Amino acid sequence: MPSEVKAISPLLDQLMHLIEESRCVAGEELSVELALREALNNAVLHGNRLDPSKLVRVYCRCELSKELSVLIKDQGSGFDPSATPDPLAVGSLQAEHGRGILLMRSQMDEVSFGCGGREVRMRKRVSAGRRTMPEDSGQSDRRCSAGDRNSNAPKDDKRSAPMEMREGKTC
């Protein structure tokens, strides 16, 4: 995705359509959409600083009726997540920025940062009360790589997840 604010909503619409269609986190789509919008905004505005020569990459893995994993990568200089001010601290309450990470963490089950703050990994699991049976039980996994036009990852084999989604990957 290009580092333009106007590119966020069309990509998010496409990505949410794929997520909704996959039913991987049925009933949790609004939480996922909110967290994704914040992460994409952060990548474009704070990571790549609206630099038109830089891209934001989005990798998404859906395990039907189980969980959604998302990796968003920017090409910025990164940041130290532990150095971000607490948005709930008295001095931060009036700030115009600084609540995106808190919002992402409130909506997703896991949020972590890697590669010096140039990557955010998020995971949303289906709560036990919301599990549904997939319509086609022959499909156990779907990968949606909206915004990554160069992805050659197979769409139907769990074992061949994109390198960016594998545990222990270095930057």
Side-chain angles (χ1 to χ4, degrees):
M1 178 184 88
S3 293
E4 300 173 348
V5 172
K6 68 181 183 181
I8 294 172
S9 287
L11 174 67
L12 190 56
D13 290 346
Q14 179 185 7
L15 192 55
M16 290 310 301
H17 175 75
L18 294 169
I19 291 168
E20 288 166 0
E21 193 176 76
S22 76
R23 299 183 61 204
C24 61
V25 289
E28 303 291 343
E29 292 89 355
L30 290 177
S31 294
V32 168
E33 184 174 3
L34 185 56
L36 283 171
R37 185 172 299 280
E38 285 299 322
L40 291 169
N41 272 315
N42 284 350
V44 168
L45 296 172
H46 303 296
N48 289 348
R49 300 193 185 278
L50 296 168
D51 183 338
S53 70
K54 294 181 179 179
L55 297 174
V56 174
R57 300 218 182 262
V58 179
Y59 300 88
C60 175
R61 180 178 175 147
C62 295
E63 292 188 50
L64 295 178
S65 298
K66 292 184 182 177
E67 72 176 27
L68 169 75
S69 300
V70 180
L71 171 67
I72 297 176
K73 299 170 68 170
D74 65 56
Q75 296 178 313
S77 58
F79 78 107
D80 179 1
S82 66
T84 58
D86 178 1
L88 300 176
V90 174
S92 300
L93 292 176
Q94 299 294 326
E96 291 183 28
H97 298 285
R99 289 178 276 288
I101 294 172
L102 177 70
L103 188 58
M104 289 185 291
R105 287 188 168 138
S106 75
Q107 300 302 305
M108 302 297 279
D109 295 317
E110 293 177 26
V111 176
S112 61
F113 298 90
C115 293
R118 291 183 305 276
E119 293 183 357
V120 60
R121 289 185 174 96
M122 299 186 292
R123 180 169 288 156
K124 184 70 170 179
R125 291 182 191 90
V126 176
S127 60
R130 293 201 182 250
R131 290 186 188 268
T132 58
M133 293 300 295
E135 290 177 20
D136 178 4
S137 60
Q139 290 184 323
S140 60
D141 180 63
R142 287 193 186 176
R143 230 172 254 103
C144 41
S145 55
D148 184 16
R149 305 256 187 260
N150 298 321
S151 175
N152 293 322
K155 304 294 183 217
D156 59 353
D157 185 358
K158 269 193 212 182
R159 294 167 292 160
S160 59
M163 288 298 295
E164 289 77 9
M165 294 302 288
R166 291 187 183 159
E167 296 297 323
K169 180 198 176 286
T170 58
C171 302

